[in-house]
Amino acid sequence: MTKMNIGIIGTGFIAKILAPQIQSSNKARLAAVSSRTLAKAEKFVANYPGAVAVEGADQLIARDDVDAVYVATPTAAKEDVASRALAAGKQVLIEKPLHSAESFKRLSALAREKGLVLMDATHFVHHPRTAAMRERLADLIGAPRSLHTMFYFPFSDRENIRFDPTNEPMGAVGDMGWYSMRAVVEYLAPNTLEDIKVFAERDPQSGAVIRSTGVLKFDAGKTATFDVGYTAGAAVMDLTVAGTSGILTQDDFVLDWHSGFGFDNPDIQTGFVHRSGMATRNEFAFIETPSERSQHALMIDNFADLIRNGDAAEREIWLSATEKTQVFLDAIWQEIQTQARAVPGTDPSSKK
Ligand SMILES: NC(=O)c1ccc[n+]([C@@H]2O[C@H](COP(=O)([O-])OP(=O)(O)OC[C@H]3O[C@@H](n4cnc5c(N)ncnc54)[C@H](OP(=O)(O)O)[C@@H]3O)[C@@H](O)[C@H]2O)c1
């Protein structure tokens, strides 16, 4: 099988995580890496024989030996870079979150027009656990009614883009809340948002949102609560989906403890827990969903497959999930901004 030639735009934290997965894939190879500073790209590719270092995204996009680009830049730069890649006929894997649903809609319209893949880089949806839980959900818990997620990791580096509202306007909401909203899309599958209440805490120095919690009410009586941020002092990735006849839980819904990047615990099985009725902890059932490959490696494979199979209907499924996730994220963000405007002096966007 001919491997898909992928170029990476950006040389930061997540680019370094994904590069080895691209290079070791049976379906893709790392063809090129671009940086705004050539020396950084050269240093990056030193570990990847055959990969070329280039200066600037445009040079990478212009290369004939690049079929697809992975956009690993801060959110503020994503639409600009991705739209230029799509316009040039390149398939695009883009980091989450997007700047806004409107921004994503412009990109997806371009991808449709060109018949290209546009996929967001959420890893957990590629783990077989996600499909297994979706398939068995109705059988195990009836109709899903409410979903709760809690996602924190301790983080306080003010030099990082997470504390830079210019580059990452939504802060922890965009970074962590993205996964909460994607879980809503995957497991609760609501159609429309009817009501929302959100609380946000900002870093006093940078103005970046560092914690947020809230509740969303959807159609058909479905509800979701979320609690995300950098301030809890411990990593937590809890998910609970409650249905009319049972409950499913995961304690590692974003990055599985087994081999999600950041973790490497071969002894910890990946799966989900089912309970119903008055079951006590001894009676909870752990449903194992093993995977030979990590969820971020599977994401690269699935991206390459989606390009290769040319299936427009399948491309739409991915576009739809991304758009819905971003629409719910935007609603959270709008609520936070509305509150900030109502309390003079708390809206960082007014401190220009
Ligand atoms: N899917 C995941 O699991 C995951 C995990 C972490 C982060 N992310 C997302 O990925 C994005 C990047 O996060 P990160 O932690 O990798 O950030 P990072 O370490 O700051 O890396 C971003 C890179 O983008 C390039 N860059 C910076 N500003 C740019 C600009 N204005 N225009 C073009 N390129 C620019 C820089 O590379 P050069 O200096 O070489 O150009 C920089 O190293 C964020 O939106 C974040 O939410 C996703």
Side-chain angles (χ1 to χ4, degrees), residues 9-18 34-37 40-41 57 70-78 81 95-97 121-123 160-162 167-168 174-175 179 254-255 261 299:
I9 298 175
T11 57
F13 170 77
I14 195 63
K16 292 193 178 90
I17 303 277
L18 260 281
S34 77
S35 169
R36 293 163 304 165
T37 316
K40 275 163 84 176
Y70 165 47
V71 179
T73 68
T75 298
K78 285 172 187 165
V81 171
E95 264 312 334
K96 41 57 62 178
T122 309
H123 307 159
N160 190 274
I161 54 165
R162 285 165 183 77
N167 269 320
E168 292 297 334
D175 188 24
Y179 295 98
V254 178
L255 301 168
F261 82 78
M299 178 177 78

Side-chain angles (χ1 to χ4, degrees), residues 98-106 108 323 326-327 330:
L98 279 300
H99 193 268
S100 65
E102 289 311 312
S103 169
F104 181 70
K105 283 179 196 169
R106 286 189 288 272
S108 56
E323 186 177 315
Q326 189 71 46
V327 164
D330 283 8

Side-chain angles (χ1 to χ4, degrees), residues 137 141-148 188 223 240-248:
L137 201 115
I141 66 166
R145 301 284 286 162
S146 72
L147 179 144
H148 175 71
L188 200 58
T223 57
T240 304
V241 190
T244 45
S245 59
I247 288 179
L248 301 179

Side-chain angles (χ1 to χ4, degrees), residues 10-38:
T11 57
F13 170 77
I14 195 63
K16 292 193 178 90
I17 303 277
L18 260 281
Q21 306 302 328
I22 295 170
Q23 190 70 333
S24 63
S25 169
N26 289 328
K27 303 178 177 193
R29 63 174 280 271
L30 186 59
V33 175
S34 77
S35 169
R36 293 163 304 165
T37 316
L38 182 59

Side-chain angles (χ1 to χ4, degrees), residues 265-281:
N265 303 284
D267 297 341
I268 303 182
Q269 300 165 338
T270 304
F272 56 95
V273 173
H274 172 238
R275 70 177 101 162
S276 61
M278 296 299 285
T280 61
R281 194 188 298 148

